[in-house]
Amino acid sequence: MKRFWRFLLRKSMPHDALSSLEFAVFGLGDSSYQKFNFPAKRLFRRLQQLGATALVRRGDGDDQHYLGVDGQLDPWLEELWEEVLRRWPLPRAVVPEDVVPDSTFDVSFGEAQEVEEVDVGVGVGVGVYRATLVAEERITAADHFQDVRHLRFAIDEGQDPPPVWAPGDCAVLRPRNLSADVDEFLAAAGWTDRADLPLRISPRSTAALAWPQAVTLRWLCANYFDIMGVPRRSFFEMLSYFSPSVEERDKLREFSSSAGQDDLLAYCMRPRRTVTEVLGDFPRTAPAIPLPYVFDVFPAIAERSFSISSAECPAAVDLTVGIVEYKTIMQRVRRGVCTKWLAQMRVGEALSMRFARGTMRLPPASTPIIMVGPGTGIAAFMAFIQSRPGAANHLFFGCRGEKKDFYYQEQLQRWVGEGSLHLYCAFSRDGPSTVYVQDRIREHSQAVWSLVASQGAVVFVSGNASRMPDDVRQAFADVVAANNPGMSADGA
């Protein structure tokens, strides 16, 4: 895409270079980001500048829509196909709705001695490292509603090449499903009796295997299938192909249709109904899923990324993990797949991880930094401060209460005493009124402005992506305006 974009931006490109092209663009975006769907918007505009003709309006998919991206995609696709078929009519449907697509893999039962139990982790090969949990500590008060853990992993020695990461980078983990959840899923799918029989798996085309060829259904449910996730629309569509029950098949097709998305929202998305629970609601369909299609029906567990809280590469990897637990509108307790797995892990247990570059990069130690990290947003900043002893580090940290969830209080105060940190705290529930990090930024307006305007400080923001970033951005704009009389709001 980058090469394509550079090609389109060539100054030598004639203004009518694409005059024979008719095109359509749909963007996959999230309106909580400031540059919502910029790639799609810029691409659409550039194609028009080069003489191309848009078949339909630009589509702007938004993850914040109550139906997700589908909320904009469905009506846009209807417009697109209506226009395409008007221009280039077809005598019949290309693929009738009742035609089942080919499976991605060939799957069959094999011989018992073929089973090879291994840890799929985050893959195998270069860049994947074995690590052992060496320390685990809850860093919120025992009576606080939120359980946040500090986890330390030691990278096993002798791995080549040695791991490398920098402050601001992430550790990437692929969680496993717990045995109780696996047993529940196997029962719902009607697989209990076959769960420990060996499987032979081979790709039909170029699909790659991320696991040994000989495993069991139980192993796949524990290590690969996202059995506790909320299923997407495509899950219901795939199930509908195999249902022997007219009633269940009709309901599955309704959930996978454009017209049925509000019903799917009420049935699945709002109550956060899991794959396992859906199978229980379609008891005739679940056992009818053909073995070769299990990889097409059931989604894979997604990797999870956590900001690394340590700068001691490669000695230790510290993670700050909030254990996800909440009640649905059905009053059922839900726990995050990855954090539930990490929470039950004991010191001495091993896992595999890889490292990914983060979005934040530190300036030279001579440049001041301002860090805004409420809650677990402090994770990456712990690594920042460790790597800049004695530098001008300014941290705005926010939590509910000093005695409840002041993460890393002793370490932060130690850095303050050593002169490595200037700390500004906002305890939102401790006073008569709520106080947030943006309020503290405004309170220290002159100091913040001096750091930015006179010393070239770099500002980093990390944490919840809902309202906080916009509120913090506005606080900095207010600081600029307060210290520059007459400046417009847009200018600030």
Side-chain angles (χ1 to χ4, degrees):
M1 181 62 189
K2 287 181 179 179
R3 286 198 301 271
F4 174 53
W5 183 243
R6 286 195 296 268
F7 169 74
L8 289 180
L9 290 183
R10 286 182 180 176
K11 292 182 179 179
S12 60
M13 189 79 73
H15 70 278
D16 60 349
L18 301 180
S19 58
S20 61
L21 176 70
E22 294 175 283
F23 72 96
V25 171
F26 186 86
L28 303 177
D30 185 323
S31 59
S32 67
Y33 286 83
Q34 188 178 31
K35 295 186 176 182
F36 170 55
N37 262 323
F38 262 37
K41 293 173 181 176
R42 293 184 66 187
L43 176 62
F44 189 88
R45 189 181 309 121
R46 183 56 178 162
L47 291 174
Q48 288 183 317
Q49 290 172 348
L50 295 175
T53 302
L55 285 168
V56 292
R57 63 182 175 85
R58 185 190 71 243
D60 292 330
D62 184 6
D63 266 342
Q64 296 300 314
H65 190 282
Y66 75 99
L67 294 176
V69 170
D70 285 348
Q72 298 292 337
L73 180 61
D74 282 339
W76 183 86
L77 280 176
E78 288 181 9
E79 294 178 30
L80 173 65
W81 290 122
E82 182 179 346
E83 180 62 20
V84 168
L85 291 170
R86 184 185 69 80
R87 296 187 182 215
W88 303 285
L90 296 172
R92 57 183 173 79
V94 178
V95 181
E97 288 186 356
D98 58 350
V99 172
V100 184
D102 290 336
S103 64
T104 306
F105 294 93
D106 280 322
V107 185
S108 60
F109 290 110
E111 300 296 330
Q113 64 267 24
E114 293 176 348
V115 178
E116 184 181 351
E117 298 286 350
V118 297
D119 171 23
V120 69
V122 287
V124 294
V126 177
V128 178
Y129 298 91
R130 295 287 295 174
T132 302
L133 181 66
V134 295
E136 181 265 347
E137 178 189 6
R138 176 170 174 146
I139 55 175
T140 49
D143 60 348
H144 189 54
F145 75 94
Q146 188 176 25
D147 180 359
V148 178
R149 309 279 181 95
H150 175 81
L151 307 174
R152 169 164 287 194
F153 294 91
I155 303 295
D156 293 0
E157 296 180 358
Q159 301 183 79
D160 186 45
V164 176
W165 74 84
D169 286 349
C170 299
V172 182
L173 313 177
R174 187 195 298 276
R176 301 190 195 105
N177 293 306
L178 304 187
S179 57
D181 296 330
V182 171
D183 290 341
E184 183 182 356
F185 172 82
L186 291 170
W191 291 354
T192 302
D193 294 341
R194 301 178 291 167
D196 298 303
L197 297 176
L199 295 174
R200 295 295 297 170
I201 306 166
S202 58
R204 280 180 172 269
S205 57
T206 57
L209 289 173
W211 55 87
Q213 287 187 314
V215 294
T216 64
L217 285 170
R218 185 183 303 278
W219 186 91
L220 287 170
C221 293
N223 293 280
Y224 187 75
F225 293 144
D226 190 11
I227 61 176
M228 300 306 293
V230 178
R232 294 178 177 269
R233 176 175 167 181
S234 56
F235 173 76
F236 295 91
E237 181 178 4
M238 287 302 299
L239 282 183
S240 71
Y241 289 125
F242 311 119
S243 179
S245 163
V246 174
E247 181 183 355
E248 290 186 10
R249 183 168 62 249
D250 288 345
K251 194 64 182 176
L252 290 165
R253 286 180 175 173
E254 179 186 342
F255 282 152
S256 60
S257 69
S258 299
Q261 291 311 287
D262 284 327
D263 288 340
L264 180 61
L265 178 75
Y267 166 73
C268 191
M269 309 306 175
R270 283 196 179 121
R272 310 298 294 169
R273 204 179 299 268
T274 67
V275 167
T276 300
E277 289 169 338
V278 171
L279 292 185
D281 290 341
F282 292 87
R284 295 183 182 178
T285 301
I289 300 169
L291 196 58
Y293 282 89
V294 293
F295 293 98
D296 301 289
V297 172
F298 299 106
I301 297 177
E303 294 179 341
R304 268 70 164 181
S305 297
F306 295 91
S307 294
I308 298 173
S309 303
S310 55
E312 303 169 27
C313 177
V317 179
D318 289 359
L319 304 180
T320 307
V321 178
I323 308 303
V324 178
E325 183 174 321
Y326 60 95
K327 280 189 176 181
T328 69
I329 59 174
M330 300 185 298
Q331 295 304 301
R332 293 183 181 176
V333 176
R334 290 283 187 266
R335 295 179 176 88
V337 172
C338 188
T339 59
K340 176 172 61 173
W341 169 60
L342 290 173
Q344 58 82 48
M345 190 173 287
R346 296 293 174 257
V347 170
E349 291 187 39
L351 50 67
S352 56
M353 65 173 64
R354 64 180 178 86
F355 301 101
R357 179 169 179 141
T359 58
M360 300 184 292
R361 276 292 174 266
L362 282 171
S366 57
T367 302
I369 61 172
I370 300 173
M371 300 163 284
V372 184
T376 54
I378 195 177
F381 298 145
M382 295 298 291
F384 279 21
I385 302 165
Q386 286 179 40
S387 64
R388 291 166 48 98
N393 304 311
H394 297 256
L395 172 64
F396 288 86
F397 172 72
C399 64
R400 285 175 172 259
E402 184 175 6
K403 304 296 184 184
K404 298 294 185 182
D405 54 347
F406 189 173
Y407 310 148
Y408 304 115
Q409 179 179 5
E410 292 183 7
Q411 178 63 67
L412 292 173
Q413 291 175 341
R414 190 178 307 122
W415 281 330
V416 170
E418 294 170 355
S420 293
L421 178 66
H422 301 270
L423 181 62
Y424 314 88
C425 293
F427 304 118
S428 62
R429 300 296 187 269
D430 280 358
S433 59
T434 54
V435 178
Y436 300 111
V437 286
Q438 58 265 31
D439 301 312
R440 292 287 183 246
I441 291 169
R442 293 187 180 95
E443 284 178 16
H444 295 85
S445 172
Q446 289 185 338
V448 169
W449 175 245
S450 175
L451 285 167
V452 173
S454 304
Q455 302 175 54
V458 177
V459 179
F460 297 96
V461 183
S462 176
N464 191 301
S466 56
R467 287 184 51 187
M468 185 273 293
D470 287 338
D471 291 341
V472 167
R473 175 180 288 273
Q474 185 57 52
F476 276 101
D478 292 345
V479 166
V480 175
N483 288 274
N484 292 273
M487 179 173 283
S488 68
D490 287 343

